[in-house]
Amino acid sequence: LLSGQRVVIVRCEEINISGSFYRNKLKYLKYLRLRCNVKPSRGPFHFRAPSKMLVRVVRGMIPHKSVRGAEAMKRLKVFEGVPPPYDQMKRMVVPSALRVIRLRPGRKWCRLGRIAHEVGWKYQDVVSTLEEKRKAKALVYYENKKKILRRKAAAEKREATKLAPLNQQLAQYGH
């Protein structure tokens, strides 16, 4: 983010946190008790949505009060589920951030979505149903794509003798 890279995080309700669920819930409940004694509307603001929780965690890692940090935070987008513009884009996984690599076997962990739900996030069911619909649509798309690729491979195999001289000519031109 600080080097100018745009980052979009999707399905942040599925983020894994190290430590048991109970311990992480107690930590968040302790944070919920923090407030301004004089006028609580001054903050701190306790967000319940997993995306907002993650934004706050990332904000703590960035010098957000400087102009550079504020610009970096503008380059971060965080979503629950996979909303429409991003459901048809290729997604990346950061291998070094996977739970299997980060946590030793047998260590306890919990999902961010469960903690959010326990402390007042109301949309866990909505997001899960939307995700099921998205996954069903993606499966249909993938099956069609596989069918088309099989047909294309079969056609190339069938027409290989006709295409051989053309492929040789193209190879001469560097294609």
Side-chain angles (χ1 to χ4, degrees):
L1 288 171
L2 287 171
S3 61
Q5 191 76 36
R6 291 179 188 275
V7 178
V8 178
I9 301 171
V10 293
R11 290 177 59 215
C12 66
E13 72 278 1
E14 297 294 328
I15 288 175
N16 294 323
I17 304 172
S18 62
S20 70
F21 165 73
Y22 187 70
R23 183 168 185 267
N24 282 308
K25 184 181 171 185
L26 288 180
K27 273 190 196 173
Y28 204 78
L29 290 173
K30 183 178 178 184
Y31 161 67
L32 287 179
R33 286 194 296 272
L34 299 178
R35 66 183 200 150
C36 178
N37 232 358
V38 178
K39 191 177 181 189
S41 62
R42 287 183 181 165
F45 304 107
H46 312 100
F47 294 111
R48 266 58 170 204
S51 59
K52 297 286 190 179
M53 289 178 175
L54 183 66
V55 166
R56 192 167 187 285
V57 168
V58 173
R59 193 186 78 171
M61 303 175 193
I62 289 178
H64 64 96
K65 291 186 179 181
S66 66
V67 174
R68 177 171 167 256
E71 291 298 315
M73 287 303 292
K74 286 179 189 173
R75 288 189 285 270
L76 175 69
K77 288 185 179 179
V78 187
F79 299 100
E80 287 100 14
V82 185
Y86 303 106
D87 61 349
Q88 295 178 359
M89 293 183 189
K90 187 164 177 65
R91 291 178 285 282
M92 283 178 53
V93 174
V94 181
S96 61
L98 291 173
R99 185 187 80 231
V100 176
I101 294 169
R102 282 277 151 220
L103 283 184
R104 284 185 12 213
R107 293 290 186 182
K108 293 185 177 179
W109 58 275
C110 63
R111 285 178 44 253
L112 183 59
R114 184 173 173 205
I115 292 173
H117 179 69
E118 294 275 333
V119 296
W121 182 47
K122 299 182 184 87
Y123 300 102
Q124 187 177 28
D125 299 332
V126 174
V127 170
S128 64
T129 54
L130 288 172
E131 276 298 287
E132 286 170 15
K133 286 180 188 174
R134 180 191 65 81
K135 287 177 182 174
K137 281 172 63 177
L139 183 68
V140 170
Y141 169 79
Y142 183 63
E143 293 298 327
N144 287 337
K145 184 178 175 181
K146 282 201 300 191
K147 195 188 306 179
I148 289 168
L149 288 174
R150 278 197 300 268
R151 286 182 183 169
K152 184 180 175 186
E156 284 177 356
K157 199 173 186 181
R158 233 185 7 253
E159 305 295 324
T161 55
K162 292 181 186 174
L163 295 175
L166 290 173
N167 285 337
Q168 285 177 349
Q169 276 185 326
L170 286 172
Q172 287 174 352
Y173 297 122
H175 289 287

